[in-house]
Amino acid sequence: MTEFFQSLGMTYEWAWGLATLAGILLIALPLMLAVAMIIYADRKIWAAIALRKGPNVVGPFGLLQSFADGLKVFLQETIIPTAANKGIFLIAPIITFTVALMAWAVIPFGPVAVLSDINIGLLYILAISSLGVYGVVMSGWASNSKYPFFSAMRAAAQMISYEVSIGFILVCVILWAGTTNMNAIILAQKGHIFGLINGFVFNPLLFPLWVMFLISALAETARAPFDLTEAESELVAGYQTEYSSMSFALFWLGEYANVLLMCALNAILFWGGWLPPLDIPILYTFLFGPGLTAFFWLVMKILFFFFIFSWVKATVPRYRYDQLMRLGWKVFLPLSLFFVVLISGYLMATGHFA
Amino acid sequence: MIQTLAFYLFAALVIASAVMVIMARNPVHSVLWLILAFFNAAGLMVLTGAEFIAALLVIVYVGAVAVLFLFVVMMLDIDFAELRAGFVKNFPLGILIALVLAAELIFGIGAYQAGRLDLGVASGAAAPILDASNTASLGAVLYRDYLFLFEAAGVILLVAMVGAIVLTHRQRPDGARGQQNISKQVRRKPDEATVMKQPGVGEGVEL
């Protein structure tokens, strides 16, 4: 995009700055719209599984429900508890929201459609997703109330625990792809099985890692069945208890942006990202050229994983906290560590690194 | 131009937040300022082209170490009056440490100006690999040239971890409260857990 702005007669610096700004807006604004629609989709799926109708009043089929909710929270009063630590109380939702958007900078939407194509893309994602916990911890502490505080404690322990196993799973993917650049990881999956099927997930050595990654992603985003940070039967609403209006909505938006990010990561790391499922030339270009087709495949995969996330939320009961910790430390950590050894050994034995 | 601006921005923020770490009244605020300092230090490293180190700094220090700091500090029961009472008591010690640090700084600058220390000639083992990325050259140095030292460091950390676990681990008797054997719970069959009784009218049930 920089070249386009340069062709309008700008210097490189200005063109780069404007191109980056345009790129950020091009990602963030549709993402916000996608979050609004995905909240609607989540509620509809959840309702269908519970044999209810779900939102069906505002707009056709209730499609505008999220916007009505957004307008409502926008017009509400922001209540700050008198005993709260005011500055941190207000910064916390902003951090959650910003961090949820930041990670999208390195997500490739197509062969060239990526805001910043950096070498350490996956490490950047890992770094940013580890920041997400601060929003929860700060809000829990700053609320100066018992339930949010418990929730903050739980969030801190839970995120650290699952970050470890996610790290090991990513190491396996990086070993196989030989790079941490997101686009290169996707291209490494091209024709991975028999030169025909795209995606690491069809590899018998990497399939168990994908299952672990999916479950860890649920835990990392504090989605059901691991939503112990906002377990309404124990902690009222967890860290969000004292929040109202826009500050509450920012948590809400950030949470769903994070869920979408984890769906996108599932798609990119294991299911071939913007590659079509099969390595057949027509599947790369059938929809108005390669760029749009790539975007189409990525969105389809993200929606598929979001459906799985909703499905799990609607059907699986909440974990107990000690069981959550047991799963993270006693099952996933040894298993993912074992797979790091196994996969690096396999790759060494077959001369992958030679 | 933009590099200079970014450098001064990051550097000023590092120093300002580091000052705030020791100036903040509330320990939780101190930890949060510390996190900001880490973050800006990572920004400085990106500016020097060491993006891998920057990412590691954020992942390890901001993502894990600082969360644990925050975890501990948040649970402290802080009495601010007591903190201020300690100020007078510890004042002489603080002054002493400040003097030592100032003396070291002056000596250091003096020694630096007197000329550099002769450490011999570098063997070239750690010379930067020109055509490789940051991550690849770091990996080459750590896992090829200094493999033994690196693994030894890893083993030392492992020993420290095992030691910490051994010190805090408490063997609980089997069947103690809170101790569960999940496979045993899953293996349980209905006829081991429930009894069917058909009491007649007016009769009680004996279990």
Side-chain angles (χ1 to χ4, degrees):
Chain A
M1 213 188 286
T2 312
E3 289 80 23
F4 169 72
F5 282 107
Q6 266 180 310
S7 71
L8 295 180
M10 294 180 192
T11 60
Y12 178 77
E13 281 82 7
W14 277 101
W16 181 85
L18 269 179
T20 309
L21 197 65
I24 290 171
L25 289 179
L26 263 178
I27 292 174
L29 295 182
L31 183 65
M32 282 299 93
L33 198 65
V35 164
M37 293 324 289
I38 219 81
I39 291 174
Y40 166 77
D42 194 26
R43 293 175 66 178
K44 271 290 191 194
I45 295 168
W46 197 4
I49 291 175
L51 300 180
R52 290 181 287 112
K53 271 189 171 172
N56 60 352
V57 174
V58 190
F61 310 107
L63 271 170
L64 300 176
Q65 181 67 46
S66 295
F67 300 100
D69 289 344
L71 197 65
K72 186 195 75 178
V73 291
F74 204 71
L75 296 174
Q76 277 173 339
E77 181 193 354
T78 306
I79 299 167
I80 301 172
T82 43
N85 204 312
K86 204 168 172 184
I88 298 181
F89 185 82
L90 288 178
I91 290 172
I94 298 174
I95 286 184
T96 306
F97 183 68
T98 317
V99 163
L101 289 186
M102 268 165 79
W104 287 86
V106 294
I107 299 287
F109 295 98
V112 286
V114 47
L115 180 60
S116 75
D117 198 11
I118 52 176
N119 277 334
I120 52 159
L122 206 50
L123 288 176
Y124 173 83
I125 295 263
L126 206 59
I128 294 298
S129 71
S130 66
L131 288 182
V133 66
Y134 282 111
V136 177
V137 171
M138 283 163 72
S139 64
W141 180 80
S143 297
N144 204 354
S145 161
K146 290 288 180 293
Y147 288 129
F149 189 68
F150 283 140
S151 161
M153 294 280 113
R154 285 182 173 192
Q158 178 175 340
M159 301 246 178
I160 288 184
S161 311
Y162 281 85
E163 206 109 278
V164 182
S165 64
I166 284 192
F168 279 125
I169 293 167
L170 295 189
V171 165
C172 294
V173 175
I174 292 171
L175 276 174
W176 213 297
T179 171
T180 50
N181 177 301
M182 301 293 265
N183 245 333
I185 288 176
I186 291 176
L187 287 175
Q189 303 178 38
K190 191 172 175 182
H192 186 63
I193 305 292
F194 311 130
L196 178 68
I197 306 169
N198 297 329
F200 280 149
V201 71
F202 302 106
N203 182 330
L205 274 178
L206 287 168
F207 178 75
L209 286 170
W210 169 66
V211 175
M212 280 195 276
F213 185 75
L214 186 69
I215 299 171
S216 300
L218 286 171
E220 181 79 7
T221 51
R223 277 285 281 195
F226 305 113
D227 57 344
L228 288 136
T229 54
E230 45 194 283
E232 70 276 349
S233 53
E234 301 155 30
L235 298 178
V236 191
Y239 57 95
Q240 307 165 338
T241 306
E242 304 289 343
Y243 281 85
S244 57
S245 80
M246 250 348 249
S247 51
F248 174 76
L250 285 182
F251 275 126
W252 198 235
L253 293 174
E255 194 187 312
Y256 273 89
N258 259 331
V259 169
L260 279 183
L261 178 78
M262 278 300 171
C263 296
L265 275 186
N266 259 306
I268 288 168
L269 297 178
F270 289 98
W271 291 77
W274 44 261
L275 294 172
L278 295 175
D279 195 19
I280 300 169
I282 179 73
L283 290 179
Y284 284 91
T285 50
F286 72 96
L287 208 74
F288 315 114
L292 265 181
T293 317
F295 185 66
F296 167 79
W297 285 119
L298 183 68
V299 169
M300 280 296 129
K301 285 169 186 172
I302 291 177
L303 289 181
F304 172 69
F305 283 112
F306 188 77
F307 179 75
I308 293 185
F309 271 50
S310 291
W311 187 6
V312 169
K313 178 182 176 177
T315 48
V316 182
R318 186 178 291 132
Y319 252 56
R320 217 176 51 204
Y321 195 68
D322 59 317
Q323 291 174 344
L324 176 84
M325 285 294 149
R326 178 184 155 273
L327 186 70
W329 289 104
K330 289 188 175 173
V331 181
F332 281 1
L333 181 61
L335 212 58
S336 53
L337 192 58
F338 169 71
F339 268 98
V340 171
V341 175
L342 187 73
I343 286 179
S344 49
Y346 174 79
L347 291 177
M348 285 295 271
T350 51
H352 187 79
F353 299 121
Chain B
M1 174 57 191
I2 196 155
Q3 288 96 329
T4 324
L5 262 179
F7 170 77
Y8 280 112
L9 179 73
F10 286 136
L13 277 173
V14 169
I15 293 171
S17 44
V19 168
M20 287 309 289
V21 172
I22 50 172
M23 297 293 278
R25 283 276 166 86
N26 196 322
V28 175
H29 291 182
S30 285
V31 177
L32 293 174
W33 284 114
L34 184 68
I35 292 162
L36 190 64
F38 281 149
F39 215 72
N40 284 296
L44 282 177
M45 286 176 185
V46 170
L47 280 186
T48 60
E51 77 266 1
F52 184 73
I53 304 281
L56 278 197
L57 186 73
V58 175
I59 293 171
V60 175
Y61 281 92
V62 179
V65 174
V67 173
L68 290 180
F69 273 11
L70 204 59
F71 198 89
V72 173
V73 168
M74 273 188 348
M75 286 197 283
L76 290 178
D77 188 19
I78 304 146
D79 188 354
F80 289 103
E82 202 174 313
L83 275 182
R84 258 165 247 152
F87 181 73
V88 180
K89 202 178 72 189
N90 294 326
F91 190 67
L93 188 68
I95 289 288
L96 193 70
I97 291 173
L99 282 179
V100 169
L101 283 179
E104 277 186 348
L105 201 64
I106 292 164
F107 269 125
I109 292 172
Y112 173 72
Q113 280 179 341
R116 44 177 269 172
L117 213 58
D118 194 14
L119 290 173
V121 186
S123 69
I129 305 163
L130 288 177
D131 54 341
S133 78
N134 209 308
T135 319
S137 38
L138 249 178
V141 170
L142 279 184
Y143 289 98
R144 202 175 59 205
D145 303 335
Y146 296 104
L147 177 65
F148 176 72
L149 289 175
F150 187 69
E151 302 247 300
V155 170
I156 291 171
L157 282 176
L158 181 69
V159 169
M161 196 174 84
V162 171
I165 292 172
V166 167
L167 282 177
T168 53
H169 185 65
R170 183 160 54 100
Q171 191 76 51
R172 267 185 245 174
D174 227 22
R177 191 176 141 72
Q179 177 149 19
Q180 296 186 333
N181 184 342
I182 289 181
S183 64
K184 198 174 147 195
Q185 290 177 351
V186 173
R187 272 200 316 267
R188 197 175 71 158
K189 293 197 182 68
D191 49 320
E192 290 167 28
T194 54
V195 194
M196 287 295 283
K197 294 267 183 182
Q198 290 258 301
V201 179
E203 288 171 38
V205 178
E206 216 166 294
L207 287 171

